[in-house]
Amino acid sequence: ILYGRIAESSSNKLAVSIAGSSFAAALILVLCVLTFERNEMWSSQMSFWEDATEKSPRNGRSFVEYGAVLNAAGQPDRGYASLLHAASLITTDAPDQIRLALAFDQADKDKEAEEHFKRAIADDPNYSAAWSAYSQWLILRLREQEAYAAALRATQLSPWNAQGQHTLLQYYADKSDWTNLNKAAMAVLRRNPTDVDGKRSVVVAQAAFGAVKAAEEKVKNQPTVDDY
């Protein structure tokens, strides 16, 4: 009986050891597959857009996409060269100018990015998406007044332009303009009740109103206390 129990125990340990080794091997295999698929994805996208540029050498959009993929794949010099070539092909199309501006932005080329945002607006001054994309780019660079003006123009051209609305929310929050933040957020939510930034902005504005009211009450009771 004792021998049987020892044998059974040894068998169980062996089974656990084999199971553990199998799991480790399976995990390594999965990681290898994922790495291969990720590399294959970049390789396939790069091959696709490279092929597109060769078959349509006058198609600027293909060079934009190819440049963006090269940048994402860690080849910034080739990516930048592709974007510059795209810029020489794209002259008067506002949506393509925005694509080019965003691609330059992703490559950390601010000068070129701003140039093409401005070209998009010049090509079509009534294209709301050009104004709103530029407004987002500006607000991220703390050029607040320019961002506000661009976002305001975007929403005047299209009241449903969510990107322009979000720039305005950010502008009012940065300025601690709680009244206009709440007003703008409510306008956003009327058009889209599920808008996350709109909901968040209402909460921020209401909390700020509450803090101001509490501070005012404290000042009334303790006039020497400066809560502002």
Side-chain angles (χ1 to χ4, degrees):
I1 295 173
L2 179 60
Y3 175 78
R5 289 180 178 175
I6 292 174
E8 182 181 354
S9 176
S10 299
S11 178
N12 289 339
K13 289 180 179 179
L14 179 61
V16 170
S17 177
I18 293 173
S21 299
S22 299
F23 175 77
L27 180 60
I28 292 172
L29 179 61
V30 169
L31 292 175
C32 289
V33 169
L34 290 175
T35 301
F36 175 79
E37 288 181 347
R38 183 186 62 195
N39 293 339
E40 190 69 14
M41 178 188 71
W42 285 120
S43 176
S44 62
Q45 285 194 35
M46 195 177 298
S47 298
F48 176 83
W49 288 113
E50 184 177 21
D51 183 63
T53 61
E54 291 173 353
K55 290 180 177 177
S56 302
R58 301 300 301 170
N59 186 336
R61 187 178 301 180
S62 295
F63 283 94
V64 174
E65 298 296 341
Y66 185 42
V69 171
L70 287 168
N71 285 324
Q75 300 184 44
D77 292 340
R78 292 181 64 199
Y80 182 55
S82 183
L83 294 180
L84 288 178
H85 186 65
S88 70
L89 298 173
I90 298 172
T91 56
T92 58
D93 186 84
D96 278 349
Q97 291 288 356
I98 292 298
R99 290 187 184 90
L100 193 50
L102 294 174
F104 274 121
D105 178 43
Q106 291 172 355
D108 294 324
K109 301 294 183 181
D110 280 7
K111 179 182 176 181
E112 291 87 345
E114 183 164 22
E115 177 184 346
H116 288 282
F117 280 125
K118 289 182 175 180
R119 283 190 186 181
I121 291 170
D123 288 345
D124 188 352
N126 294 319
Y127 185 42
S128 177
W131 289 98
S132 61
Y134 188 35
S135 76
Q136 284 276 290
W137 187 85
L138 288 166
I139 200 78
L140 290 173
R141 283 152 186 78
L142 305 180
R143 292 165 59 178
E144 295 173 337
Q145 289 305 128
E146 294 172 89
Y148 172 77
L152 195 62
R153 181 58 180 154
T155 54
Q156 287 171 344
L157 290 168
S158 174
W160 296 273
N161 187 314
Q163 192 174 43
Q165 293 169 345
H166 291 164
T167 300
L168 292 176
L169 294 178
Q170 185 63 53
Y171 173 81
Y172 293 133
D174 290 345
K175 294 294 184 182
S176 300
D177 186 346
W178 311 124
T179 299
N180 277 320
L181 176 62
N182 188 66
K183 181 180 177 181
M186 295 302 293
V188 168
L189 292 175
R190 279 196 296 272
R191 297 185 181 96
N192 180 9
T194 64
D195 190 286
V196 175
D197 285 340
K199 291 180 178 180
R200 184 185 299 115
S201 296
V202 168
V203 171
V204 170
Q206 294 297 330
F209 286 146
V212 169
K213 186 176 181 179
E216 289 175 344
E217 290 297 324
K218 191 173 183 180
V219 168
K220 288 179 182 178
N221 297 325
Q222 302 177 34
T224 59
V225 176
D226 182 9
D227 287 290
Y228 294 91

